[in-house]
Amino acid sequence: MLSRSAERVYWLGRYLERAENTARIVQQYSQLLLDLPPEVGVKWHELLTIFGVDEARLGDSDVASIMHYMLADPTSNNSLAFCIRNARDNIRNARDLLPQESWESANELDQYARKYLGPAATGENTFEVLSDCISHCQQINGVLIGTMSHDSPYHFLRIGQNIERADMTSRIIDVAAAYLQKNERLVLRYGSTLWTNVLKSVSGFQMYRQYCQPEVEGLSVIDFLLNDSKFPRAIRYCLQRAHRRASALPRNQSLLSAIDTTIERLPSPLPEELDGASVTELMDLLQREFATLHSVIVDTWFLPA
Amino acid sequence: MRFGSENYSAGDFYDELIDRDGNPRPHARLLAEYLSGLPTDDLLERQLAADSTIEDMGISFTIYSEGDNIDRAWPLDIIPRTIPSAEWDHVERGLKQRVMALNLFIDDLYNDRRILNDKVVPADLIDSSKNYLQPCRGIRPRHGVWAHICGSDLVRDGDGTMYVLEDNLRVPSGVSYMLENRNVIKRVLPMIFRNHTIRPVSEYPSQLIEMLRSIAPTSVPGKPEVVVLTPGVYNSAYFEHSYLARTMGVELVEGNDLTVGDDDFVYMRSIDGLKRVDTIYRRIDDTFIDPEAFRPDSMLGVPGIMRAWRAGNVALANAPGSGVADDKVIYSYVPEIIRYYMSEDPIIPNVPTWRCSDKQHLDHVLANIGDLVVKPANESGGYGMLVGPHASAAEHDKFRELLKADPRNYIAQPTLALSTAPTLCDDKLEPRHLDLRPFILQGDRISVTAGGLTRVAMRKGSLVVNSSQGGGSKDTWIVEMDP
């Protein structure tokens, strides 16, 4: 497999995953705001911090401009439209390796996004449009998983997806942890709503309910999202999957040992006295680890810049 | 002939579907009956279905400098263009004859130059051609074949005669659209295929990969590694490059994916290190393929690739230097070239051509420019040409000056009354002019596509069919007729 193609397929994995996660988070976030009283202090700006956007960048923007920035702005590399476009372009440019149906599907999604994300950002059918984007991403994923041979292109795709997914989960935990610190009294009362929302934004609510204790409570949610080795959006699971895919690639030593190192950073069991500040610290550490995994991949397999 | 509520007439032009009396031609009878029985709304609906299929399938061509929106949906008119199989068999023989002769010609030019010594073609014409590449002298590619993939443009004149208008021997494009047009038409008009026997076009990718393997260096152990070399994702034909790589199951590479080793072999950079490449189907122009040998400013090519090719370590399709034979002045000599190498008369005629390098020809062209089509010798895509009858007096004057300043670079031809076929325009069928580009593959053997890419000038009366200039396309049917 060409180094150039590996790069494109890897980025396809990342953008496709980022698109789906972005749609899901924005959708859940708008639902959450309907549930929480203003004094809890959850605001639209917080949404931006999940994506690492400097709040100062948007200043006193209103909901409309934040939504536009997150969904439709083609120049913002955080927008759903941008992720979809890039996923589509990477399929276009690696089309010789990917199933034809994935290209047709990505093209449809891109056309859909161009047409409807603008209105969705202004509040028109936002929920439905985001649901459509999510299911379209799932459809593309389904085609890729169901029809690609489990060979190098597939491994790069899945490594990209798993790293992106782990990264996104860590960002979501990070933002929730910030509330633990900010306002303990209110969080106690509304905490379960908040953590339910965290689980829903990674489609993890049902699985959490099935495998963990029925009560939705901060530390056990964090533990589930960090350490579960069966839930596909838990960080440990993502890393184990990436490890498995990497072990089928040539010249994989550096990546395998970097993934091992990252897995060792996951505290299991979680210390009982974990507070908001230490969760934030841990998530920052993990995000730096994910960035390292990315550079190892670039250095090992991609064309030199 | 009536289609829906409208009468269809092609006037004085030769129409591919109906004859002068307005009756369907025998091979088009079933199609004409089907169309005349179809309500207009139904027809429009199918055209819309075709358009949206094309968008969904991402069949596109790329236009430069449109900023972000680089892909344009491929324009396809759903009414097929039909050719009877008996006529096509004749054309096919003619195309094989022509391409075989052209390859013998190119091989001769870079080696013995017999045809020049025998003064059948003037030597100064070759030596002054910017497409005659000195670094190719003395090379003998396998099977003596230089132009492995040729796209020849055919047109039909008012009396029904099919002519070769030009040969594209450098990097002809369009074959992927021929294949996709058929796929789309099968989706939107499935029922017509049931009543017709239409020759399939789908073998092309297998024939192409076989041909590319057949030209690989003989030293290759096992199955040769074939790649498609593209200038990149912004090239106007990137869709096609990627399509061909995918349908052949080979890697699609860009210049910096390849490197030439100290051993003069070509390698591609893979995730497992360097891997040897044996045949390169290059979709980059000659002078861009190797900055060491040609344009030092080319960022698209691979430094040293000419060295590897000259050493016989890699095959290039088409071979560099093949373009010498698709110069439009050389074109005017093709009938002589065929007689010289094949000892046969040409099966498909050339369009009569005046060479402006010849004083008498030039005078004729200057005097009659309003009736002629003037073309530069080395442009493609319909750029830089003058269609005399459609141009203003000022344009005529401008071209007279151009011709006088650089006569070697121009030829002129009579304005042909290109044939027409019914084409869906707004909400009714109207005659539109068209041409046909079949593709000929030559390696250890030679094959021709069943039909080719039909291009249509969508504007009323226009003769310009290029997709970069608003042309459309049609599916092309070679219809089997009972003997």
Side-chain angles (χ1 to χ4, degrees):
Chain A
M1 181 187 197
L2 281 182
S3 294
R4 179 192 307 282
S5 312
E7 188 168 351
R8 285 175 178 158
V9 176
Y10 169 83
W11 277 112
L12 162 62
R14 293 206 66 151
Y15 278 117
L16 187 59
E17 187 65 25
R18 198 176 297 174
E20 186 184 335
N21 290 332
T22 303
R24 207 185 294 283
I25 288 170
V26 173
Q27 195 180 41
Q28 278 312 309
Y29 217 82
S30 19
Q31 298 296 300
L32 173 70
L33 289 189
L34 301 178
D35 284 342
L36 296 179
E39 58 271 31
V40 180
V42 176
K43 290 198 297 265
W44 275 103
H45 280 79
E46 314 286 356
L47 180 61
L48 299 178
T49 60
I50 297 183
F51 295 93
V53 181
D54 185 6
E55 272 190 61
R57 211 202 112 124
L58 287 166
D60 295 328
S61 322
D62 50 7
V63 177
S65 41
I66 292 176
M67 285 292 270
H68 178 73
Y69 181 80
M70 286 308 304
L71 294 184
D73 188 348
T75 63
S76 129
N77 53 13
N78 286 299
S79 75
L80 179 54
F82 180 86
C83 296
I84 289 175
R85 184 101 265 245
N86 275 277
R88 181 251 181 211
D89 283 354
N90 278 292
I91 296 189
R92 174 192 191 267
N93 298 341
R95 198 154 55 173
D96 47 321
L97 298 174
L98 300 170
Q100 169 69 17
E101 294 88 345
S102 66
W103 164 240
E104 293 184 21
S105 202
N107 231 354
E108 278 169 32
L109 173 58
D110 184 52
Q111 282 159 30
Y112 180 87
R114 281 162 180 253
K115 203 161 162 193
Y116 295 109
L117 281 180
T122 68
E124 202 174 305
N125 297 324
T126 314
F127 191 89
E128 290 74 14
V129 171
L130 291 175
S131 299
D132 282 351
C133 288
I134 293 168
S135 46
H136 232 114
C137 289
Q138 289 172 328
Q139 187 197 337
I140 297 170
N141 259 319
V143 170
L144 295 172
I145 293 170
T147 57
M148 277 179 84
S149 292
H150 289 198
D151 210 343
S152 303
Y154 186 76
H155 301 319
F156 280 103
L157 174 82
R158 302 298 281 169
I159 290 172
Q161 278 182 319
N162 278 297
I163 291 179
E164 180 67 33
R165 198 178 272 182
D167 185 66
M168 193 61 90
T169 301
S170 75
R171 288 170 191 277
I172 292 168
I173 298 176
D174 203 4
V175 172
Y179 293 110
L180 281 177
Q181 306 179 56
K182 249 193 208 162
N183 196 331
E184 284 189 26
R185 192 183 54 81
L186 282 169
V187 166
L188 276 182
R189 189 185 309 158
Y190 293 102
S192 135
T193 308
L194 186 71
W195 289 109
T196 299
N197 180 259
V198 165
L199 285 169
K200 283 187 175 167
S201 56
V202 296
S203 291
F205 183 60
Q206 267 179 291
M207 295 303 126
Y208 176 83
R209 269 283 156 81
Q210 283 174 29
Y211 294 104
C212 302
Q213 56 274 74
E215 191 166 338
V216 179
E217 176 268 324
L219 283 185
S220 78
V221 171
I222 293 175
D223 191 33
F224 176 69
L225 292 180
L226 275 186
N227 284 320
D228 197 84
S229 56
K230 297 197 183 73
F231 178 57
R233 282 158 200 275
I235 292 174
R236 181 179 297 274
Y237 176 92
C238 293
L239 291 170
Q240 285 169 342
R241 283 289 138 159
H243 192 280
R244 206 174 110 182
R245 293 291 157 208
S247 55
L249 289 174
R251 305 194 291 174
N252 56 11
Q253 274 318 309
S254 327
L255 182 61
L256 291 179
S257 61
I259 296 177
D260 286 335
T261 312
T262 311
I263 293 177
E264 281 161 27
R265 305 272 190 210
L266 299 173
S268 176
L270 276 193
E272 291 201 2
E273 69 286 6
L274 198 67
D275 60 5
S278 48
V279 173
T280 301
E281 206 176 294
L282 175 62
M283 293 308 134
D284 288 350
L285 172 77
L286 286 175
Q287 279 157 31
R288 283 196 301 277
E289 288 285 335
F290 300 147
T292 307
L293 297 183
H294 175 73
S295 347
V296 171
I297 291 169
V298 172
D299 294 344
T300 309
W301 288 295
F302 298 169
L303 278 188
Chain B
M1 186 81 212
R2 285 179 79 79
F3 293 122
S5 57
E6 306 279 344
N7 278 318
Y8 175 87
S9 158
D12 288 338
F13 295 104
Y14 183 100
D15 192 87
E16 301 283 337
L17 195 100
I18 57 163
D19 64 20
R20 260 178 223 281
D21 304 324
N23 298 316
R25 297 184 186 281
H27 67 281
R29 193 176 49 81
L30 284 169
L31 177 64
E33 276 171 12
Y34 174 80
L35 290 175
S36 58
L38 204 62
T40 309
D41 285 351
D42 206 345
L43 202 58
L44 293 175
E45 225 166 77
R46 284 169 204 275
Q47 180 68 51
L48 285 177
D51 294 345
S52 77
T53 306
I54 284 167
E55 271 200 22
D56 291 348
M57 288 169 72
I59 306 171
S60 59
F61 68 107
T62 307
I63 299 262
Y64 298 108
S65 66
E66 282 196 0
D68 174 49
N69 188 16
I70 55 172
D71 292 334
R72 280 266 188 92
W74 173 249
L76 167 63
D77 177 77
I78 58 167
I79 315 297
R81 181 258 184 93
T82 49
I83 299 172
S85 57
E87 180 185 22
W88 185 253
D89 291 339
H90 176 77
V91 169
E92 191 177 312
R93 279 196 299 281
L95 290 169
K96 287 180 177 170
Q97 176 200 50
R98 192 172 176 100
V99 170
M100 279 168 14
L102 286 169
N103 271 312
L104 290 165
F105 173 61
I106 302 168
D107 201 46
D108 187 22
L109 291 183
Y110 287 112
N111 288 283
D112 305 337
R113 294 165 59 101
R114 280 193 302 124
I115 196 166
L116 306 182
N117 298 335
D118 291 342
K119 305 205 181 318
V120 176
V121 172
D124 65 327
L125 186 64
I126 300 302
D127 293 323
S128 67
S129 164
K130 62 182 179 191
N131 293 319
Y132 186 65
L133 305 179
Q134 288 301 330
C136 302
R137 291 291 303 271
I139 306 292
R140 300 221 100 121
R142 256 183 104 177
H143 316 297
V145 175
W146 291 66
H148 308 94
I149 300 120
C150 171
S152 291
D153 291 345
L154 302 177
V155 291
R156 201 196 288 280
D157 195 16
D159 63 0
T161 312
M162 195 90 92
Y163 293 94
V164 177
L165 184 63
E166 61 184 59
D167 304 291
N168 297 282
L169 302 173
R170 282 175 276 189
V171 284
S173 61
V175 76
S176 59
Y177 302 112
M178 171 193 87
L179 296 164
E180 289 288 52
N181 281 357
R182 176 62 54 85
N183 289 334
V184 173
I185 295 301
K186 283 201 292 198
R187 281 200 202 184
V188 300
L189 295 174
M191 62 299 291
I192 317 191
F193 284 84
R194 273 180 226 142
N195 305 330
H196 283 78
T197 308
I198 297 150
R199 286 194 191 163
V201 292
S202 54
E203 311 96 88
Y204 184 81
S206 330
Q207 290 171 338
L208 181 59
I209 183 78
E210 261 173 52
M211 184 280 287
L212 292 169
R213 289 200 180 118
S214 82
I215 63 169
T218 43
S219 58
V220 178
K223 202 168 75 172
E225 183 78 41
V226 175
V227 299
V228 176
L229 174 62
T230 173
V233 300
Y234 298 110
N235 184 268
S236 61
Y238 183 74
F239 168 83
E240 174 153 306
H241 306 159
S242 150
Y243 183 94
L244 292 174
R246 176 163 54 84
T247 48
M248 289 192 289
V250 304
E251 298 285 3
L252 177 63
V253 304
E254 294 176 28
N256 55 356
D257 291 317
L258 298 180
T259 180
V260 178
D262 294 335
D263 56 1
D264 283 357
F265 280 90
V266 181
Y267 296 90
M268 59 179 159
R269 299 180 216 269
S270 81
I271 55 166
D272 202 8
L274 296 178
K275 198 170 172 195
R276 192 176 137 179
V277 171
D278 305 305
T279 299
I280 301 174
Y281 177 16
R282 49 103 184 183
R283 297 292 300 251
I284 295 182
D285 276 334
D286 279 351
T287 52
F288 286 91
I289 59 171
D290 187 348
E292 272 182 16
F294 303 109
R295 300 177 60 128
D297 59 331
S298 170
M299 305 292 286
L300 306 173
V302 185
I305 201 171
M306 282 294 287
R307 231 184 317 126
W309 178 68
R310 291 177 55 93
N313 292 337
V314 72
L316 296 175
N318 290 348
S322 304
V324 67
D326 79 6
D327 179 308
K328 292 189 177 68
V329 183
I330 301 293
Y331 161 87
S332 67
Y333 288 94
V334 171
E336 284 90 334
I337 291 171
I338 292 175
R339 285 186 201 100
Y340 184 79
Y341 293 105
M342 312 292 287
S343 311
E344 294 168 359
D345 282 326
I347 297 173
I348 317 175
N350 253 22
V351 177
T353 302
W354 287 278
R355 304 168 190 131
C356 297
S357 53
D358 179 313
K359 180 75 177 69
Q360 278 180 316
H361 286 205
L362 177 63
D363 290 343
H364 175 88
V365 174
L366 291 174
N368 296 286
I369 202 160
D371 301 326
L372 300 173
V373 176
V374 182
K375 296 174 178 177
N378 272 310
E379 295 290 332
S380 59
Y383 291 105
M385 61 185 261
L386 173 87
V387 181
H390 296 180
S392 66
E395 284 171 299
H396 293 160
D397 285 343
K398 190 184 117 199
F399 264 79
R400 283 197 187 94
E401 293 311 310
L402 289 172
L403 296 184
K404 281 188 256 175
D406 188 7
R408 160 68 179 87
N409 193 36
Y410 289 94
I411 55 126
Q413 293 167 337
T415 310
L416 298 177
L418 291 196
S419 64
T420 60
T423 302
L424 192 54
C425 300
D426 296 325
D427 57 355
K428 57 177 188 292
L429 293 176
E430 289 186 16
R432 287 292 182 268
H433 297 293
L434 37 76
D435 78 351
L436 176 63
R437 176 177 290 183
F439 296 85
I440 304 99
L441 296 177
Q442 188 179 1
D444 58 349
R445 67 191 108 161
I446 186 162
S447 62
V448 180
T449 48
L453 177 64
T454 291
R455 301 183 299 174
V456 197
M458 295 303 286
R459 266 185 307 120
K460 189 171 190 153
S462 168
L463 300 174
V464 182
V465 296
N466 307 78
S467 55
S468 52
Q469 301 194 34
S473 72
K474 282 172 172 292
D475 188 19
T476 309
W477 288 3
I478 305 304
V479 183
E480 295 289 359
M481 301 287 291
D482 295 330

